[in-house]
């Protein structure tokens, strides 16, 4: 059940209530890549829709910036399907917005304490008066308003990252002017496979396989993504064949590729750097 359908069935009192929960769980390293990646979702804008007598009109708006109230949602929606087909994880860095494309990348700044966080919008909502974004439980903790339930925020779309994510999910190429070339000013690395790339490059490591044929099958599966290579390594006398996609100049580009890989059903892929 999508969040919109669930909210239609929920009471107006529930929508208007503030949500309270446990104290902040503590720190942790959260990068832009954490926000960008998702599993199983599709890109969609959606048709106009009506909630509690009000119409909403989803659209692509790469100039979007708004100040308003943020709230958060967690246990009641955990593991439910989001509006774009992902599984909502209250511990991931995601958010719900009423009209932005799904998914989009936004920067949310808590105007009460100055904390800022990059989130991936993959759901619809909130619909309580005055609220402009509903963030995951973990995002509310990192932004510092989990206990109080709501806070005043600025929400700004990150246009470049959102366009790159759209292109990745739709299998499209970004316009040449919006691509970030891999830098050649750094000292190149030539690994034992004879493949050269700039030092400090990012890769998506898809998996490590004991049989070369297994690695080849995965490369064939990733043919639609492109730039997948097999890297031969020996660990404690055991031979392995690593499949990597890349290189990429920065973590944002690698994260977009990771999203592609995961949407091909390989959910345990990860970003690595050399």
């Amino acid at each position: 059940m999508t969040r919109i359908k669930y909210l239609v069935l929920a009471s107006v009192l529930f929508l208007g209530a503030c949500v309270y929960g446990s104290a902040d769980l503590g720190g942790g390293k959260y990068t832009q890549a954490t926000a960008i990646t998702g599993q199983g979702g599709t890109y969609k804008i959606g048709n106009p829709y009506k909630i509690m007598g009000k119409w909403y009109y989803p659209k692509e708006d790469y100039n979007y910036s708004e100040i308003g109230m943020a709230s958060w949602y967690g246990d009641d929606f955990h593991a439910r399907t989001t509006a774009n087909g992902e599984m909502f994880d209250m511990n991931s860095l995601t958010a719900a917005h009423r009209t932005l494309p799904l998914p989009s990348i936004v920067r949310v700044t808590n105007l009460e304490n100055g904390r800022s966080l990059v989130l991936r919008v993959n759901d619809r909502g909130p619909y309580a008066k005055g609220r402009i974004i509903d963030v995951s439980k973990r995002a509310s903790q990192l932004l510092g308003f989990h206990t109080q339930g709501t806070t005043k925020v600025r929400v700004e779309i990150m246009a470049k990252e959102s366009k790159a994510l759209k292109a990745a999910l739709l299998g499209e190429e970004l316009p040449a002017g919006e691509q970030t070339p891999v830098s050649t000013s750094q000292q190149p690395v030539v690994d034992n496979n004879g493949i050269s790339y700039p030092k400090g490059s990012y890769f998506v490591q898809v998996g490590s396989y004991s049989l070369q044929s297994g690695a080849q099958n995965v490369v064939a599966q990733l043919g639609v993504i492109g730039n997948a290579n097999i890297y031969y390594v020996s660990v404690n006398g055991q031979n392995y064949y690593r499949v990597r996609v890349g290189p990429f100049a920065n973590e944002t580009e690698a994260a977009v590729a990771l999203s592609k890989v995961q949407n091909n059903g390989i959910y345990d892929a990860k970003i690595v750097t050399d």
Side-chain angles (χ1 to χ4, degrees), residues 6 12 14 17 34 44 52 61 119 124 131-132 147 160 199 207 215 218 249 271:
Y6 187 91
V12 175
F14 175 82
T34 312
K44 64 182 293 185
M52 295 188 297
D61 181 3
L119 304 176
R124 288 292 181 223
R131 300 185 190 178
I132 62 173
T147 302
K160 180 180 178 181
K199 186 176 181 179
V218 173
I271 295 176

Side-chain angles (χ1 to χ4, degrees), residues 124-206:
R124 288 292 181 223
Y127 301 105
K129 185 177 180 180
R131 300 185 190 178
I132 62 173
I133 196 165
D134 213 1
V135 307
S136 66
K137 177 180 179 180
R138 184 55 177 159
S140 73
Q141 292 167 344
L142 294 174
L143 286 168
F145 73 94
H146 175 255
T147 302
Q148 70 193 61
T150 61
T151 191
K152 189 175 183 180
V153 296
R154 177 185 291 109
V155 181
E156 304 165 285
I157 193 167
M158 300 180 70
K160 180 180 178 181
E161 289 79 3
S162 295
K163 290 177 182 179
L165 184 54
K166 174 189 175 181
L169 293 175
L170 297 180
E172 300 174 346
E173 291 291 332
L174 280 170
E178 296 183 4
Q179 296 178 3
T180 303
V182 174
S183 172
T184 57
S185 61
Q186 298 171 298
Q187 179 183 354
V189 173
V190 180
D191 67 9
N192 59 1
N193 302 273
I195 301 174
S196 177
Y197 52 86
K199 186 176 181 179
S201 296
Y202 289 88
F203 294 84
V204 174
Q205 184 154 308
V206 180

Side-chain angles (χ1 to χ4, degrees), residues 18 41 54 85 104 108 120 124 127 152 172 183 206 208 224 255:
C18 291
K54 183 175 180 179
S104 294
V108 179
R120 188 181 77 256
R124 288 292 181 223
Y127 301 105
K152 189 175 183 180
E172 300 174 346
S183 172
V206 180
S208 185
V224 294

Side-chain angles (χ1 to χ4, degrees), residues 47-249:
N47 297 319
Y49 63 97
K50 189 177 183 180
I51 298 289
M52 295 188 297
K54 183 175 180 179
W55 281 94
Y56 297 92
Y57 300 89
K59 63 178 181 179
E60 290 183 341
D61 181 3
Y62 294 116
N63 295 311
Y64 173 80
S65 178
E66 187 177 8
I67 292 176
M69 297 301 293
S71 50
W72 65 268
Y73 65 121
D75 298 84
D76 289 336
F77 297 96
H78 186 67
R80 292 181 180 271
T81 303
T82 68
N84 78 323
E86 296 182 24
M87 183 184 74
F88 174 62
D89 179 356
M90 65 182 180
N91 298 308
S92 65
L93 297 185
T94 59
H97 191 276
R98 294 168 295 184
T99 58
L100 287 177
L102 306 177
S104 294
I105 307 301
V106 297
R107 183 178 300 279
V108 179
T109 302
N110 185 343
L111 298 179
E112 295 183 7
N113 60 19
R115 294 188 187 183
S116 182
L117 201 60
V118 174
L119 304 176
R120 188 181 77 256
V121 176
N122 66 350
D123 211 353
R124 288 292 181 223
Y127 301 105
K129 185 177 180 180
R131 300 185 190 178
I132 62 173
I133 196 165
D134 213 1
V135 307
S136 66
K137 177 180 179 180
R138 184 55 177 159
S140 73
Q141 292 167 344
L142 294 174
L143 286 168
F145 73 94
H146 175 255
T147 302
Q148 70 193 61
T150 61
T151 191
K152 189 175 183 180
V153 296
R154 177 185 291 109
V155 181
E156 304 165 285
I157 193 167
M158 300 180 70
K160 180 180 178 181
E161 289 79 3
S162 295
K163 290 177 182 179
L165 184 54
K166 174 189 175 181
L169 293 175
L170 297 180
E172 300 174 346
E173 291 291 332
L174 280 170
E178 296 183 4
Q179 296 178 3
T180 303
V182 174
S183 172
T184 57
S185 61
Q186 298 171 298
Q187 179 183 354
V189 173
V190 180
D191 67 9
N192 59 1
N193 302 273
I195 301 174
S196 177
Y197 52 86
K199 186 176 181 179
S201 296
Y202 289 88
F203 294 84
V204 174
Q205 184 154 308
V206 180
S208 185
Y209 308 89
S210 57
L211 296 177
Q212 186 174 8
S213 58
Q216 290 171 336
N217 289 337
V218 173
V219 169
Q221 179 183 345
L222 297 174
V224 294
I225 296 178
N227 207 22
N229 291 295
I230 298 174
Y231 296 78
Y232 167 80
V233 295
S234 180
V235 180
N236 297 325
Q238 176 68 47
N239 297 331
Y240 293 97
Y241 301 88
R242 291 175 177 168
V243 177
R244 288 183 171 183
V245 178
F248 301 99

